[in-house]
Amino acid sequence: PPKGDTWSIEFLETCNKRFAFVGDFGGRVLVFDITDPYHPFLSTHWDVPVSPLDGHYENVLDVVLDYNPAWGGEVYIYFSAFRPGLVRLKFNLDCGADPVVQLPPSTWFDAGGQRADTPGLAHMLRRYESNGHRGLILADKNAGLRFYGDFEAGTSPICQ
């Protein structure tokens, strides 16, 4: 897709590496390896599939990570995209010799990339954690606030 403006950034530090996950208004989630801040590089990216309605790319507005080393390397990226809604990408981060982020294919049909369609336009996304309860709160421009997640136990990834 065309290049867009950086809209949201989330960081992950694990396996002696640092990564920046960037939401791009041009319809992408970009992953930069920033372990050496003087020599960052683009590690990988995920392109939001273009809309079948008009052929335009979808804007990525907010990015939230969910990671716990006890999950065996599973990392979840949640992001809001205007028309597709709430999107979840799942990948495994192997802390071997040289950990590399490998995102699932850029499609809605792969198990690693799923979406929860919202009735309006997905906008701001925030993680909610309080008293052992966890979840996501999504501001849906046309439909108010939407709540997702494990608001009970708080021991597993937010949305499964």
Side-chain angles (χ1 to χ4, degrees):
K3 295 179 181 176
D5 298 323
T6 296
W7 207 255
S8 177
I9 301 173
E10 183 87 328
F11 298 98
L12 174 65
E13 189 168 344
T14 187
C15 306
N16 296 319
K17 298 277 254 185
R18 288 186 205 105
F19 298 99
F21 292 79
V22 177
D24 183 289
F25 214 63
R28 299 173 294 186
V29 174
L30 307 163
V31 182
F32 291 90
D33 184 324
I34 58 170
T35 304
D36 179 353
Y38 296 105
H39 300 98
F41 63 90
L42 179 64
S43 177
T44 188
H45 63 93
W46 197 85
D47 299 334
V48 179
V50 295
S51 171
L53 298 174
D54 57 15
H56 288 279
Y57 58 88
E58 305 288 358
N59 307 121
V60 175
L61 295 172
D62 231 338
V63 177
V64 171
L65 294 177
D66 196 20
Y67 171 71
N68 184 329
W71 298 338
E74 288 183 346
V75 180
Y76 296 84
I77 306 168
Y78 299 95
F79 65 89
S80 58
F82 261 144
R83 295 182 291 185
L86 175 65
V87 179
R88 181 192 82 171
L89 302 179
K90 174 185 170 184
F91 68 94
N92 289 311
L93 187 61
D94 180 8
C95 288
D98 188 21
V100 176
V101 173
Q102 293 185 344
L103 299 179
S106 292
T107 175
W108 297 128
F109 305 107
D110 185 83
Q114 299 174 339
R115 65 182 169 161
D117 198 9
T118 61
L121 297 171
H123 220 73
M124 296 178 68
L125 181 64
R126 295 292 181 261
R127 181 179 21 250
Y128 171 86
E129 295 187 42
S130 177
N131 298 322
H133 303 285
R134 306 171 60 238
L136 295 172
I137 301 173
L138 173 71
D140 192 307
K141 191 170 181 180
N142 294 333
L145 294 177
R146 316 263 313 158
F147 295 85
Y148 299 90
D150 176 10
F151 286 96
E152 299 298 322
T155 56
S156 61
I158 293 172
C159 299
Q160 296 203 38

